[in-house]
């Protein structure tokens, strides 16, 4: 993989960087989003492919990107397809710092040392070329504004930005509500991006243990609806209805 094109993890991190403070928005969920972004990038490179809600390695040949290749090798060692939600929620946190260091080596950000409360050392990261961040943001803005289906990379980036909660960072306040809604809707334009974005949200919501298709089929709690003050009985379907008829 050539370095002429920025990867989706790099673009997601640049979107999350606050140009005023040098900090990243949504730092906790951002690690999950970066793990998901690696999956999307590997899929676009033809190295992995979705298999239901799982991820399968289809070509173990390295991409030439050390960080992506590390993830690809870990997937290969699994030996069988792994659920996206388990991969994203696995013990590989710290990706944010790995990618910040990577962006610094590439010259896209520079570290600024500081102190918190005049004592604790801190490090902020400022973009060295704000035109790059503006170009990334412009792609999202265009997809939101025009409604034209974006290319797979932009669609996946939008899906991940929504999944990690960057909507309120990119489009704040009441005036940004419609843009946040349209950002969420872009999730449907890329199957792989949609898969990993849902997995990121599932990990954050603590529902990673059960496959998505089983959760969708599971019976939901009965609504506490009433008619004339009398609680309504839940509607019986399938086997329940047949049993009640005998």
């Amino acid at each position: 993989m050539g370095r002429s094109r920025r990867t989706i993890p790099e673009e997601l991190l640049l979107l999350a960087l606050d140009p005023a403070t040098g900090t990243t928005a949504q730092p906790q969920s951002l690690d999950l989003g970066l793990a998901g972004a690696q999956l999307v990038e590997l899929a676009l490179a033809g190295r992995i492919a979705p298999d239901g809600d799982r991820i399968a390695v289809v070509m173990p040949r390295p991409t030439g990107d050390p960080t992506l290749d590390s993830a690809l090798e870990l997937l290969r060692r699994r030996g069988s397809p792994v659920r996206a939600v388990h991969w994203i929620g696995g013990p590989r946190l710290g990706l944010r710092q790995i990618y910040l260091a990577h962006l610094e080596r590439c010259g896209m950000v520079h570290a600024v040392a500081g102190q918190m409360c005049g004592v604790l050392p801190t490090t902020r990261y400022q973009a060295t070329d704000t035109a790059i961040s503006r170009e990334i943001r412009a792609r999202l803005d265009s997809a939101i504004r025009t409604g034209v289906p974006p290319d797979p990379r932009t669609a996946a980036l939008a899906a991940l930005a929504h999944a990690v909660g960057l909507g309120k960072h990119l489009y704040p306040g009441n005036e940004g509500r419609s843009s946040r809604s349209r950002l969420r809707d872009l999730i449907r334009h890329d199957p792989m991006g949609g898969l990993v974005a849902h997995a990121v949200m599932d990990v954050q919501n603590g529902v990673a243990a059960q496959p998505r298709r089983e959760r969708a089929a599971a019976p939901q709690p009965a609504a506490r609806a009433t008619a004339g003050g009398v609680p309504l009985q839940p509607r019986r379907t399938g086997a329940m209805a047949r049993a009640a008829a005998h």
Side-chain angles (χ1 to χ4, degrees):
M1 176 183 297
R3 295 300 300 140
S4 59
R5 179 183 298 225
R6 294 181 301 272
T7 65
I8 294 176
E10 293 167 3
E11 293 196 329
L12 182 66
L13 184 50
L14 288 171
L15 271 181
L17 271 179
D18 188 316
T21 65
T23 59
T24 54
Q26 304 299 115
Q28 293 181 339
S29 58
L30 191 56
D31 273 337
L32 303 176
L34 290 170
Q38 286 185 317
L39 293 180
V40 176
E41 193 65 50
L42 287 171
L44 289 171
R47 295 330 193 253
I48 64 174
D51 181 6
D53 66 349
R54 296 175 182 269
I55 302 298
V57 175
V58 295
M59 184 190 297
R61 179 166 56 86
T63 65
D65 181 304
T67 310
L68 290 175
D69 288 341
S70 176
L72 179 62
E73 177 62 14
L74 288 174
L75 286 166
R76 187 193 65 80
R77 289 178 184 175
R78 295 291 183 97
S80 60
V82 59
R83 287 184 61 207
V85 71
H86 287 164
W87 170 262
I88 290 169
R92 291 178 326 286
L93 300 183
L95 280 177
R96 182 165 41 96
Q97 289 303 320
I98 291 173
Y99 270 102
L100 281 170
H102 169 72
L103 290 178
E104 186 179 16
R105 288 193 301 271
C106 293
M108 284 191 267
V109 302
H110 68 276
V112 179
Q115 288 184 330
M116 180 182 296
C117 301
V119 179
L120 299 176
T122 62
T123 303
R124 297 180 295 111
Y125 292 87
Q126 300 285 352
T128 56
D129 186 355
T130 56
I132 296 176
S133 298
R134 289 198 302 269
E135 183 272 329
I136 299 169
R137 173 68 179 271
R139 282 164 39 214
L140 289 186
D141 290 346
S142 177
I144 287 173
R145 183 179 64 256
T146 64
V148 175
D151 63 274
R153 302 184 71 83
T154 301
L157 181 63
L160 287 162
H162 166 70
V164 302
L166 288 183
K168 291 183 179 180
H169 167 72
L170 298 171
Y171 307 103
N174 288 332
E175 64 276 13
R177 184 178 301 172
S178 62
S179 293
R180 293 195 298 271
S181 178
R182 289 193 288 271
L183 179 71
R184 179 194 63 219
D185 291 343
L186 291 176
I187 201 170
R188 70 183 187 274
H189 290 296
D190 179 64
M192 187 65 177
L195 170 64
V196 299
H198 281 299
V200 168
M201 291 185 283
D202 283 349
V203 172
Q204 293 180 86
N205 293 331
V207 291
Q210 187 178 9
R212 174 169 290 273
R213 57 180 177 273
E214 292 180 12
R215 294 199 304 274
Q220 300 298 314
R224 295 184 178 180
T226 62
V230 179
L232 294 175
Q233 295 299 317
R235 184 169 61 91
R236 293 172 174 169
T237 60
M240 292 177 60
R242 291 193 296 271
H246 291 288

